[in-house]
Amino acid sequence: MSRRHPGPEDTDHALPPMWSWQEFVDAARAPDTIDDGDGRHAGGDWPGATWSEALRLAEDGWTTVLPDVDAEVAQLRERIGDEVLTTALVPAWDVTGSEVDIGAYLSGEPECMVDAVPQRISARGRVVTFLVPAGYVNTTPHSAIHHRGVALSALCSSIIAAGHSVEIWSGFTPYVGDTDRFAAVARVISAAEPLDMGRLMFVMAHPAMLRRLWFAAWDSAPHAVARRMRDTSYGGGPYDCYAEDLPGGIVEPYVLSYLSPEDSQWETVDTALAWCWEMFTSLGLLRAGRAPENAPGPA
């Protein structure tokens, strides 16, 4: 195939999948196999942070944006809460109640009485896996990166609040020639861990995720691979990711499109949240046919 007709079969070299955030950061920290990699050595403001700042953000998350993000997350949760939750009776143990838990009573547990308590729970609990392309052309406005990060953070937070689990993979998959594609994926949020909003905002909304950490992960690849990546200025578009880029066993991942300067859905927070509504519906986490009150239409 070619860059005009891209596909996963164009992959010429793939790094081993990185199964955790720490494994990805370790790959970025690993010694370079070339002496001029941009991950560590690029100057100027283009990367969005120095190498040391990028490592600090990787550890601490991008927390300076969280107040605004929290407000926007709350806005989306308010819009979708009743759609993904239902009321069910769940058992609650206490020192008083309507029934005796015989096992707890015989073991001497003081909280051996059980009551059925109404509780809002997820109507469709499941694991939702996202694969998010980290690559974008250098003319993509930072505001678009930020709005996408806010939207995806809101989406993931709302899904988790509704009782679902979220797994997020980041992929950097550029073309290093007309027909050759290099591919690498890293799991940055696991379904088994609490959602780290600061990390998610850094991954999704900060240019240093791509221009420092992902570049550095490729700078430590085998020398011939790292050299080719660097000599092609870390490749070019299209930066599409595919389900085939993920390790086997991941069922029905939702693969986002890569950021493009022409994208209109990320122009404002409102259009980004409207796009999130469309995503919720397409994933079956919301009922189709009822948009949030006063929500803008999809871009």
Side-chain angles (χ1 to χ4, degrees):
M1 302 277 298
S2 71
R3 292 169 68 169
R4 295 184 179 218
H5 304 282
E9 62 274 12
D10 292 341
T11 302
D12 184 64
H13 183 83
L15 297 182
M18 290 163 270
W19 284 92
S20 70
W21 178 243
Q22 189 59 55
E23 188 176 353
F24 170 69
V25 174
D26 288 346
R29 288 178 181 268
D32 290 355
T33 60
I34 55 176
D35 58 9
D36 58 347
D38 276 357
R40 281 180 171 83
H41 305 301
D45 297 330
W46 185 72
T50 65
W51 173 243
S52 60
E53 288 169 343
L55 293 179
R56 179 183 57 78
L57 288 166
E59 181 176 350
D60 299 336
W62 195 18
T63 56
T64 58
V65 297
L66 289 185
D68 289 339
V69 172
D70 287 342
E72 288 143 6
V73 166
Q75 177 187 4
L76 186 60
R77 280 186 179 176
E78 182 178 353
R79 290 177 178 178
I80 61 90
D82 288 341
E83 293 291 324
V84 292
L85 297 179
T86 187
T87 300
L89 296 177
V90 297
W93 282 260
D94 207 334
V95 294
T96 62
S98 59
E99 297 183 14
V100 179
D101 182 331
I102 299 298
Y105 174 77
L106 293 177
S107 67
E109 173 59 52
E111 296 181 349
C112 61
M113 303 299 292
V114 184
D115 261 329
V117 179
Q119 183 173 318
R120 299 289 277 168
I121 63 171
S122 169
R124 312 177 190 86
R126 59 190 269 202
V127 175
V128 183
T129 300
F130 296 98
L131 173 55
V132 185
Y136 45 84
V137 300
N138 60 6
T139 56
T140 302
H142 190 199
S143 61
I145 305 169
H146 174 75
H147 294 153
R148 182 178 73 162
V150 169
L152 191 58
S153 297
L155 171 68
C156 294
S157 176
S158 298
I159 290 177
I160 289 172
H164 302 280
S165 297
V166 169
E167 180 169 288
I168 301 177
W169 290 76
S170 175
F172 183 38
T173 57
Y175 274 78
V176 296
D178 287 338
T179 60
D180 295 337
R181 176 179 182 263
F182 280 9
V185 294
R187 185 165 64 179
V188 296
I189 299 288
S190 166
E193 63 182 322
L195 178 63
D196 187 329
M197 288 286 284
R199 182 197 306 170
L200 185 59
M201 283 303 302
F202 172 65
V203 168
M204 299 309 309
H206 201 292
M209 172 63 181
L210 171 65
R211 296 167 181 171
R212 289 297 186 192
L213 297 193
W214 262 122
F215 284 6
W218 281 101
D219 292 341
S220 63
H223 176 80
V225 172
R227 183 75 268 156
R228 189 174 184 194
M229 180 70 92
R230 177 65 185 85
D231 287 347
T232 56
S233 299
Y234 296 90
Y239 300 97
D240 297 287
C241 291
Y242 303 96
E244 291 86 349
D245 294 320
L246 292 169
I250 297 177
V251 179
E252 296 183 351
Y254 188 88
V255 184
L256 275 69
S257 300
Y258 74 92
L259 274 173
S260 168
E262 291 77 32
D263 288 342
S264 59
Q265 67 266 38
W266 312 121
E267 288 180 355
T268 68
V269 170
D270 279 342
T271 56
L273 290 176
W275 186 87
C276 275
W277 176 267
E278 291 288 314
M279 180 188 286
F280 269 114
T281 303
S282 69
L283 290 174
L285 296 170
L286 289 175
R287 293 194 301 270
R290 180 178 176 271
E293 185 178 356
N294 299 324

